[in-house]
Amino acid sequence: MATTTPTPAPKTNRIGLAVLDYRGGKTTLCAGCGHNAISERIIDAFYEMGIQPERVAKLSGIGCSSKSPAYFMNRSHSFNSVHGRMPSVATGAALANRKLLMLGVSGDGDTASIGIGQFVHLMRRNIPMIYIIEDNGVYGLTKGQFSATADVGAKLKTGVINDLPPIDTCGLAIELGASFVARSFSGDKKQLHAMLKAAIAHNGTVMLDVVSPCVTFNDHEGSTKSYKYMKDHEEPLHDVSFVPAFEDISIDYDPGTSVAVTMHDGSQLRLRKLEEDYDPTSKLHAIKRLAEAKEANEVLTGVFYVNPKAPTFLDMINMTEDSLATLPQDRVRPGREALKEIMEELQ
Ligand SMILES: Cc1ncc(C[n+]2csc(CCOP(=O)(O)OP(=O)(O)O)c2C)c(N)n1
Ligand code: SF4
Ligand SMILES: [Mg+2]
Protein backbone atom coordinates (compact mmCIF):
# COMPACT_ATOMS: atom_id res chain seq x y z
CA MET A 1 0.00 0.00 0.00
CA ALA A 2 1.41 3.45 -0.94
CA THR A 3 2.16 5.75 1.98
CA THR A 4 1.36 9.46 1.73
CA THR A 5 3.82 11.97 3.17
CA PRO A 6 1.99 14.49 5.35
CA THR A 7 2.14 18.10 4.10
CA PRO A 8 4.44 20.06 6.43
CA ALA A 9 2.67 22.71 8.53
CA PRO A 10 3.40 26.24 7.27
CA LYS A 11 6.22 28.08 9.06
CA THR A 12 4.84 30.49 11.63
CA ASN A 13 6.15 33.53 13.51
CA ARG A 14 6.25 34.10 17.28
CA ILE A 15 2.48 34.79 17.42
CA GLY A 16 1.68 31.65 15.42
CA LEU A 17 0.82 33.33 12.09
CA ALA A 18 2.08 32.33 8.67
CA VAL A 19 3.37 34.81 6.10
CA LEU A 20 0.08 34.28 4.22
CA ASP A 21 -1.70 36.02 7.10
CA TYR A 22 0.17 39.22 6.15
CA ARG A 23 -0.71 39.16 2.47
CA GLY A 24 -3.27 41.38 0.73
CA GLY A 25 -5.10 41.45 -2.59
CA LYS A 26 -3.37 40.78 -5.89
CA THR A 27 -1.54 43.87 -7.11
CA THR A 28 -2.99 45.86 -10.02
CA LEU A 29 0.19 47.96 -10.37
CA CYS A 30 2.47 47.52 -13.42
CA ALA A 31 4.77 44.48 -13.35
CA GLY A 32 8.20 45.66 -12.17
CA CYS A 33 6.88 48.77 -10.36
CA GLY A 34 9.11 49.53 -7.37
CA HIS A 35 5.99 49.93 -5.19
CA ASN A 36 5.31 46.16 -5.46
CA ALA A 37 8.77 45.37 -4.06
CA ILE A 38 8.09 47.69 -1.10
CA SER A 39 4.79 45.88 -0.36
CA GLU A 40 6.73 42.59 -0.27
CA ARG A 41 9.23 44.03 2.23
CA ILE A 42 6.37 45.33 4.41
CA ILE A 43 4.80 41.85 4.47
CA ASP A 44 8.12 40.23 5.46
CA ALA A 45 8.93 42.82 8.14
CA PHE A 46 5.53 42.67 9.88
CA TYR A 47 5.56 38.86 9.71
CA GLU A 48 9.06 38.60 11.16
CA MET A 49 8.34 41.11 13.92
CA GLY A 50 5.26 39.09 14.87
CA ILE A 51 2.86 42.04 14.75
CA GLN A 52 -0.83 41.15 15.00
CA PRO A 53 -2.27 42.41 11.66
CA GLU A 54 -5.45 43.61 13.42
CA ARG A 55 -3.30 46.05 15.44
CA VAL A 56 -2.15 47.83 12.28
CA ALA A 57 -3.90 50.81 10.67
CA LYS A 58 -2.87 51.32 7.04
CA LEU A 59 -3.38 54.83 5.71
CA SER A 60 -2.75 56.40 2.35
CA GLY A 61 -3.65 59.26 0.01
CA ILE A 62 -4.10 59.02 -3.77
CA GLY A 63 -1.69 57.65 -6.37
CA CYS A 64 -0.33 54.27 -7.50
CA SER A 65 1.70 54.24 -4.26
CA SER A 66 -1.37 55.03 -2.20
CA LYS A 67 -3.18 52.05 -3.75
CA SER A 68 -0.55 49.64 -2.43
CA PRO A 69 -1.98 49.14 1.11
CA ALA A 70 -4.64 47.04 -0.66
CA TYR A 71 -1.87 44.61 -1.62
CA PHE A 72 -0.61 43.74 1.88
CA MET A 73 -2.08 42.87 5.28
CA ASN A 74 -5.74 42.56 4.36
CA ARG A 75 -6.65 41.77 7.98
CA SER A 76 -5.56 45.26 9.12
CA HIS A 77 -7.61 48.45 9.36
CA SER A 78 -7.33 50.62 6.26
CA PHE A 79 -8.23 54.15 5.21
CA ASN A 80 -7.61 55.61 1.76
CA SER A 81 -7.87 59.39 2.23
CA VAL A 82 -8.17 62.37 -0.11
CA HIS A 83 -5.01 63.27 -2.14
CA GLY A 84 -2.31 64.62 0.23
CA ARG A 85 -4.56 64.55 3.29
CA MET A 86 -3.47 61.29 4.90
CA PRO A 87 -1.45 63.02 7.68
CA SER A 88 -4.52 64.60 9.28
CA VAL A 89 -6.43 61.31 9.20
CA ALA A 90 -3.37 59.56 10.68
CA THR A 91 -3.04 62.17 13.42
CA GLY A 92 -6.69 61.73 14.40
CA ALA A 93 -6.45 57.94 14.43
CA ALA A 94 -3.21 58.00 16.46
CA LEU A 95 -4.84 60.28 19.03
CA ALA A 96 -8.00 58.20 19.23
CA ASN A 97 -6.22 54.90 19.75
CA ARG A 98 -2.55 54.84 20.68
CA LYS A 99 -2.53 51.04 20.72
CA LEU A 100 -2.72 51.00 16.92
CA LEU A 101 0.46 50.68 14.89
CA MET A 102 0.04 53.31 12.21
CA LEU A 103 1.49 52.69 8.76
CA GLY A 104 1.12 55.44 6.17
CA VAL A 105 2.00 54.89 2.51
CA SER A 106 2.23 57.94 0.30
CA GLY A 107 3.81 59.02 -2.98
CA ASP A 108 6.19 61.85 -3.79
CA GLY A 109 3.30 63.71 -5.43
CA ASP A 110 0.90 62.93 -2.60
CA THR A 111 3.50 64.13 -0.04
CA ALA A 112 5.74 66.76 -1.59
CA SER A 113 3.32 68.40 -4.02
CA ILE A 114 -0.35 68.59 -2.97
CA GLY A 115 0.23 67.25 0.56
CA ILE A 116 3.28 69.26 1.63
CA GLY A 117 1.32 71.42 4.11
CA GLN A 118 -0.04 68.37 5.88
CA PHE A 119 3.30 66.56 5.76
CA VAL A 120 5.28 69.29 7.52
CA HIS A 121 2.85 69.43 10.43
CA LEU A 122 2.89 65.66 10.80
CA MET A 123 6.71 65.76 11.02
CA ARG A 124 6.84 68.52 13.63
CA ARG A 125 4.47 66.64 15.93
CA ASN A 126 6.50 63.42 15.97
CA ILE A 127 3.25 61.42 15.82
CA PRO A 128 4.04 57.72 16.40
CA MET A 129 3.70 56.26 12.93
CA ILE A 130 5.66 54.89 9.99
CA TYR A 131 5.34 57.22 7.01
CA ILE A 132 6.66 55.76 3.76
CA ILE A 133 7.11 57.82 0.61
CA GLU A 134 7.26 55.60 -2.47
CA ASP A 135 9.35 58.07 -4.41
CA ASN A 136 9.49 57.81 -8.20
CA GLY A 137 9.83 61.52 -9.04
CA VAL A 138 6.59 61.54 -11.05
CA TYR A 139 2.83 61.38 -10.71
CA GLY A 140 2.59 57.76 -11.93
CA LEU A 141 -1.19 57.46 -11.68
CA THR A 142 -1.83 60.52 -13.88
CA LYS A 143 0.68 59.50 -16.57
CA GLY A 144 4.07 60.66 -15.40
CA GLN A 145 4.25 64.45 -14.88
CA PHE A 146 7.23 65.62 -12.71
CA SER A 147 6.63 65.75 -8.97
CA ALA A 148 8.38 68.05 -6.49
CA THR A 149 11.08 65.45 -5.74
CA ALA A 150 12.28 65.32 -9.36
CA ASP A 151 15.92 66.39 -9.72
CA VAL A 152 17.08 69.42 -11.71
CA GLY A 153 17.96 68.22 -15.20
CA ALA A 154 15.83 65.06 -15.01
CA LYS A 155 14.22 64.32 -18.38
CA LEU A 156 10.75 62.96 -19.15
CA LYS A 157 10.28 60.51 -22.02
CA THR A 158 8.74 63.37 -24.00
CA GLY A 159 12.02 65.31 -23.68
CA VAL A 160 10.72 67.84 -21.10
CA ILE A 161 13.48 68.79 -18.65
CA ASN A 162 12.84 69.66 -15.01
CA ASP A 163 14.43 72.94 -13.97
CA LEU A 164 12.97 73.33 -10.50
CA PRO A 165 15.03 72.24 -7.46
CA PRO A 166 13.75 69.13 -5.67
CA ILE A 167 12.32 69.09 -2.17
CA ASP A 168 14.43 66.78 -0.01
CA THR A 169 11.81 65.14 2.20
CA CYS A 170 14.51 63.64 4.46
CA GLY A 171 16.21 66.99 5.11
CA LEU A 172 12.81 68.54 5.76
CA ALA A 173 11.70 65.78 8.13
CA ILE A 174 14.92 65.98 10.18
CA GLU A 175 14.73 69.76 10.41
CA LEU A 176 11.09 69.66 11.52
CA GLY A 177 11.23 67.01 14.23
CA ALA A 178 10.68 63.48 12.90
CA SER A 179 12.69 61.17 15.15
CA PHE A 180 13.69 58.44 12.65
CA VAL A 181 14.57 59.55 9.15
CA ALA A 182 15.97 57.25 6.47
CA ARG A 183 16.22 56.72 2.75
CA SER A 184 16.34 53.42 0.90
CA PHE A 185 15.78 51.96 -2.56
CA SER A 186 13.04 49.48 -3.48
CA GLY A 187 15.74 47.36 -5.18
CA ASP A 188 17.82 47.11 -2.00
CA LYS A 189 16.03 44.21 -0.35
CA LYS A 190 18.34 43.75 2.63
CA GLN A 191 18.60 47.40 3.63
CA LEU A 192 14.90 48.14 3.28
CA HIS A 193 13.94 45.02 5.20
CA ALA A 194 16.17 45.94 8.18
CA MET A 195 14.94 49.55 8.14
CA LEU A 196 11.29 48.49 8.18
CA LYS A 197 11.83 46.21 11.17
CA ALA A 198 13.59 49.02 13.04
CA ALA A 199 10.75 51.35 12.04
CA ILE A 200 8.23 48.98 13.67
CA ALA A 201 10.23 49.11 16.92
CA HIS A 202 10.45 52.93 16.96
CA ASN A 203 8.16 55.15 19.02
CA GLY A 204 7.75 58.41 17.09
CA THR A 205 7.55 59.47 13.45
CA VAL A 206 9.55 57.26 11.10
CA MET A 207 9.93 59.04 7.77
CA LEU A 208 11.17 56.60 5.20
CA ASP A 209 11.78 57.88 1.69
CA VAL A 210 12.11 54.88 -0.63
CA VAL A 211 13.24 55.52 -4.20
CA SER A 212 10.84 53.34 -6.15
CA PRO A 213 11.20 53.42 -9.95
CA CYS A 214 8.09 53.87 -12.11
CA VAL A 215 8.82 51.43 -14.93
CA THR A 216 6.11 52.87 -17.14
CA PHE A 217 6.87 56.60 -17.00
CA ASN A 218 10.26 57.17 -15.36
CA ASP A 219 12.74 54.38 -15.92
CA HIS A 220 14.47 55.63 -19.08
CA GLU A 221 17.84 57.22 -19.89
CA GLY A 222 17.79 60.76 -18.44
CA SER A 223 15.69 59.82 -15.40
CA THR A 224 17.33 60.13 -11.97
CA LYS A 225 14.84 57.74 -10.34
CA SER A 226 15.40 54.73 -12.61
CA TYR A 227 16.79 51.33 -11.62
CA LYS A 228 19.95 52.01 -13.62
CA TYR A 229 20.53 55.47 -12.13
CA MET A 230 20.07 54.09 -8.61
CA LYS A 231 22.45 51.18 -9.29
CA ASP A 232 25.08 53.69 -10.50
CA HIS A 233 24.56 56.45 -7.92
CA GLU A 234 23.39 54.85 -4.68
CA GLU A 235 25.84 55.64 -1.88
CA PRO A 236 24.99 53.72 1.32
CA LEU A 237 26.07 55.48 4.51
CA HIS A 238 26.31 52.22 6.48
CA ASP A 239 25.18 48.59 6.43
CA VAL A 240 21.89 48.46 8.28
CA SER A 241 20.90 45.53 10.45
CA PHE A 242 18.34 45.13 13.20
CA VAL A 243 18.07 42.80 16.16
CA PRO A 244 14.58 42.70 17.73
CA ALA A 245 14.26 42.65 21.52
CA PHE A 246 12.88 39.09 21.40
CA GLU A 247 16.17 37.79 19.92
CA ASP A 248 19.54 37.51 21.64
CA ILE A 249 20.92 41.03 21.16
CA SER A 250 24.49 40.06 22.11
CA ILE A 251 25.13 38.06 18.93
CA ASP A 252 27.23 39.17 16.02
CA TYR A 253 28.16 42.67 17.12
CA ASP A 254 31.48 44.42 16.89
CA PRO A 255 31.25 47.77 18.69
CA GLY A 256 34.51 48.95 17.06
CA THR A 257 33.10 49.06 13.56
CA SER A 258 29.39 49.52 14.30
CA VAL A 259 27.10 52.02 15.97
CA ALA A 260 24.22 50.45 17.90
CA VAL A 261 21.11 52.47 18.71
CA THR A 262 18.86 50.99 21.39
CA MET A 263 15.21 51.44 20.46
CA HIS A 264 12.52 52.16 23.04
CA ASP A 265 11.47 48.48 23.24
CA GLY A 266 15.07 47.31 23.80
CA SER A 267 15.71 46.22 20.19
CA GLN A 268 18.94 47.28 18.54
CA LEU A 269 19.45 49.09 15.28
CA ARG A 270 23.01 48.38 14.16
CA LEU A 271 24.76 50.53 11.63
CA ARG A 272 28.05 49.13 10.42
CA LYS A 273 30.16 52.14 9.62
CA LEU A 274 31.07 52.77 6.03
CA GLU A 275 31.92 56.33 6.99
CA GLU A 276 34.09 56.51 10.07
CA ASP A 277 32.70 59.60 11.82
CA TYR A 278 29.01 59.52 10.96
CA ASP A 279 26.83 59.91 14.03
CA PRO A 280 23.15 58.98 13.34
CA THR A 281 22.02 60.69 16.54
CA SER A 282 23.25 64.11 15.36
CA LYS A 283 20.86 66.28 13.35
CA LEU A 284 23.76 68.43 12.29
CA HIS A 285 25.70 65.51 10.84
CA ALA A 286 22.62 64.34 8.98
CA ILE A 287 21.82 67.67 7.40
CA LYS A 288 25.48 68.34 6.47
CA ARG A 289 25.92 64.89 4.90
CA LEU A 290 22.68 65.21 2.91
CA ALA A 291 23.83 68.58 1.54
CA GLU A 292 27.23 67.11 0.57
CA ALA A 293 25.59 64.19 -1.21
CA LYS A 294 23.41 66.56 -3.19
CA GLU A 295 26.47 68.52 -4.36
CA ALA A 296 28.16 65.27 -5.41
CA ASN A 297 25.08 63.95 -7.27
CA GLU A 298 24.95 60.90 -5.01
CA VAL A 299 21.76 59.29 -3.81
CA LEU A 300 22.67 58.77 -0.17
CA THR A 301 20.82 55.91 1.54
CA GLY A 302 20.78 54.81 5.18
CA VAL A 303 19.40 55.87 8.54
CA PHE A 304 20.31 59.55 8.59
CA TYR A 305 18.89 60.44 11.97
CA VAL A 306 17.40 58.55 14.88
CA ASN A 307 16.41 59.68 18.36
CA PRO A 308 14.53 56.95 20.27
CA LYS A 309 13.98 59.28 23.25
CA ALA A 310 12.26 62.22 21.53
CA PRO A 311 8.83 62.89 23.09
CA THR A 312 5.91 62.18 20.78
CA PHE A 313 2.87 64.41 20.45
CA LEU A 314 0.86 61.86 22.46
CA ASP A 315 3.35 62.13 25.35
CA MET A 316 3.32 65.94 25.14
CA ILE A 317 -0.44 66.16 25.53
CA ASN A 318 -0.52 63.37 28.10
CA MET A 319 -2.84 61.19 26.03
CA THR A 320 -4.44 58.27 27.81
CA GLU A 321 -3.10 54.76 27.11
CA ASP A 322 -6.65 53.48 26.46
CA SER A 323 -8.43 53.88 23.16
CA LEU A 324 -10.93 56.77 23.41
CA ALA A 325 -13.71 54.53 22.11
CA THR A 326 -13.38 52.25 25.14
CA LEU A 327 -13.42 54.94 27.85
CA PRO A 328 -16.49 54.88 30.09
CA GLN A 329 -18.80 57.93 30.14
CA ASP A 330 -17.53 59.13 33.51
CA ARG A 331 -14.04 59.54 32.02
CA VAL A 332 -15.08 61.44 28.92
CA ARG A 333 -18.03 63.53 30.15
CA PRO A 334 -17.42 66.31 32.66
CA GLY A 335 -19.58 65.83 35.78
CA ARG A 336 -22.34 68.20 36.94
CA GLU A 337 -19.91 70.07 39.22
CA ALA A 338 -17.34 70.66 36.44
CA LEU A 339 -20.05 71.92 34.08
CA LYS A 340 -21.36 74.26 36.77
CA GLU A 341 -17.86 75.68 37.25
CA ILE A 342 -17.46 76.25 33.51
CA MET A 343 -20.84 77.98 33.31
CA GLU A 344 -19.94 80.23 36.23
CA GLU A 345 -16.65 81.20 34.55
CA LEU A 346 -18.58 82.25 31.47
CA GLN A 347 -21.02 84.50 33.30
C1 LIG B 1 -7.36 66.89 -5.30
C2 LIG B 1 -6.77 66.05 -6.39
N1 LIG B 1 -5.96 66.63 -7.28
C3 LIG B 1 -5.40 65.90 -8.27
C4 LIG B 1 -5.68 64.56 -8.37
C5 LIG B 1 -5.09 63.75 -9.52
N2 LIG B 1 -4.01 62.89 -9.06
C6 LIG B 1 -4.26 61.60 -8.73
S1 LIG B 1 -2.88 60.77 -8.25
C7 LIG B 1 -1.94 62.15 -8.51
C8 LIG B 1 -0.45 62.14 -8.28
C9 LIG B 1 0.08 60.90 -7.65
O1 LIG B 1 1.48 60.95 -7.61
P1 LIG B 1 2.28 60.22 -6.49
O2 LIG B 1 1.77 60.56 -5.15
O3 LIG B 1 3.72 60.51 -6.72
O4 LIG B 1 1.94 58.68 -6.70
P2 LIG B 1 2.45 57.64 -7.79
O5 LIG B 1 1.26 57.43 -8.67
O6 LIG B 1 3.60 58.23 -8.51
O7 LIG B 1 2.81 56.45 -6.99
C10 LIG B 1 -2.69 63.23 -8.97
C11 LIG B 1 -2.14 64.55 -9.28
C12 LIG B 1 -6.54 63.98 -7.41
N3 LIG B 1 -6.84 62.68 -7.41
N4 LIG B 1 -7.07 64.75 -6.43
S1 SF4 C 1 2.36 53.83 -13.63
FE1 SF4 C 1 4.38 53.76 -12.66
S2 SF4 C 1 3.98 54.11 -10.47
FE2 SF4 C 1 2.04 53.49 -11.43
S3 SF4 C 1 1.94 51.28 -11.17
FE3 SF4 C 1 2.85 51.66 -13.18
S4 SF4 C 1 5.06 51.62 -12.81
FE4 SF4 C 1 4.07 51.88 -10.82
MG1 LIG D 1 5.14 59.36 -7.60
Side-chain angles (χ1 to χ4, degrees):
M1 202 172 81
T3 50
T4 48
T5 347
T7 332
K11 224 176 116 199
T12 54
N13 62 9
R14 67 196 177 106
I15 60 163
L17 297 182
V19 74
L20 260 181
D21 295 306
Y22 293 81
R23 296 215 155 266
K26 193 173 173 333
T27 181
T28 60
L29 302 182
C30 308
C33 174
H35 304 349
N36 286 330
I38 301 172
S39 295
E40 290 300 318
R41 299 294 80 73
I42 292 174
I43 291 169
D44 291 346
F46 278 79
Y47 164 74
E48 282 183 23
M49 291 292 282
I51 303 294
Q52 189 67 40
E54 288 77 5
R55 228 194 96 208
V56 178
K58 305 177 292 180
L59 301 123
S60 63
I62 301 290
C64 299
S65 33
S66 293
K67 283 167 68 177
S68 55
Y71 315 133
F72 58 81
M73 288 197 287
N74 61 5
R75 285 168 49 174
S76 304
H77 305 276
S78 196
F79 196 101
N80 195 204
S81 84
V82 177
H83 198 16
R85 270 57 169 188
M86 178 257 279
S88 45
V89 178
T91 304
L95 286 168
N97 187 353
R98 66 187 299 178
K99 291 196 167 87
L100 288 176
L101 204 161
M102 317 281 296
L103 172 62
V105 179
S106 181
D108 42 309
D110 194 64
T111 292
S113 298
I114 196 167
I116 193 77
Q118 296 239 334
F119 174 73
V120 294
H121 291 283
L122 183 79
M123 295 300 121
R124 71 192 267 270
R125 292 196 165 109
N126 196 27
I127 297 279
M129 78 174 289
I130 304 170
Y131 188 100
I132 299 175
I133 305 176
E134 300 190 339
D135 187 359
N136 52 20
V138 289
Y139 303 161
L141 191 71
T142 55
K143 301 211 176 302
Q145 306 84 347
F146 280 128
S147 79
T149 67
D151 294 300
V152 174
K155 203 188 212 173
L156 289 182
K157 269 187 183 162
T158 52
V160 176
I161 301 217
N162 176 47
D163 10 67
L164 286 173
I167 291 176
D168 181 352
T169 50
C170 288
L172 201 56
I174 295 166
E175 174 88 31
L176 288 166
S179 49
F180 185 129
V181 179
R183 176 168 288 130
S184 189
F185 166 42
S186 63
D188 192 336
K189 204 168 164 175
K190 188 169 162 272
Q191 186 197 56
L192 181 56
H193 182 64
M195 274 184 192
L196 283 166
K197 290 206 285 184
I200 293 169
H202 184 69
N203 182 33
T205 302
V206 177
M207 209 301 287
L208 192 48
D209 179 50
V210 188
V211 179
S212 174
C214 167
V215 289
T216 303
F217 297 110
N218 204 16
D219 197 34
H220 49 269
E221 188 69 39
S223 158
T224 60
K225 302 265 197 258
S226 64
Y227 282 106
K228 182 168 186 320
Y229 189 90
M230 281 305 289
K231 291 249 153 71
D232 296 344
H233 294 79
E234 184 186 3
E235 198 57 54
L237 199 49
H238 29 232
D239 278 342
V240 184
S241 60
F242 176 76
V243 188
F246 53 84
E247 279 176 17
D248 178 5
I249 59 166
S250 62
I251 47 164
D252 194 30
Y253 170 52
D254 175 0
T257 54
S258 305
V259 180
V261 183
T262 306
M263 314 302 284
H264 94 118
D265 67 351
S267 304
Q268 271 192 2
L269 170 66
R270 288 175 188 171
L271 307 169
R272 195 171 66 78
K273 295 176 189 173
L274 295 180
E275 291 188 16
E276 203 44 51
D277 303 327
Y278 192 78
D279 174 8
T281 63
S282 158
K283 276 195 180 193
L284 216 60
H285 264 189
I287 288 170
K288 181 167 169 283
R289 194 58 192 84
L290 279 169
E292 285 166 0
K294 192 171 165 191
E295 296 243 305
N297 274 337
E298 295 165 354
V299 187
L300 198 61
T301 61
V303 179
F304 303 141
Y305 176 65
V306 57
N307 177 3
K309 299 211 172 87
T312 72
F313 188 59
L314 305 185
D315 304 326
M316 288 176 215
I317 63 169
N318 207 12
M319 201 65 193
T320 165
E321 286 298 325
D322 302 312
S323 131
L324 298 188
T326 61
L327 293 180
Q329 286 235 344
D330 60 338
R331 284 189 61 195
V332 287
R333 207 168 83 180
R336 194 175 286 276
E337 276 309 303
L339 281 175
K340 197 166 153 240
E341 251 176 59
I342 294 169
M343 291 311 285
E344 276 164 10
E345 270 172 29
L346 295 175
Q347 274 169 12

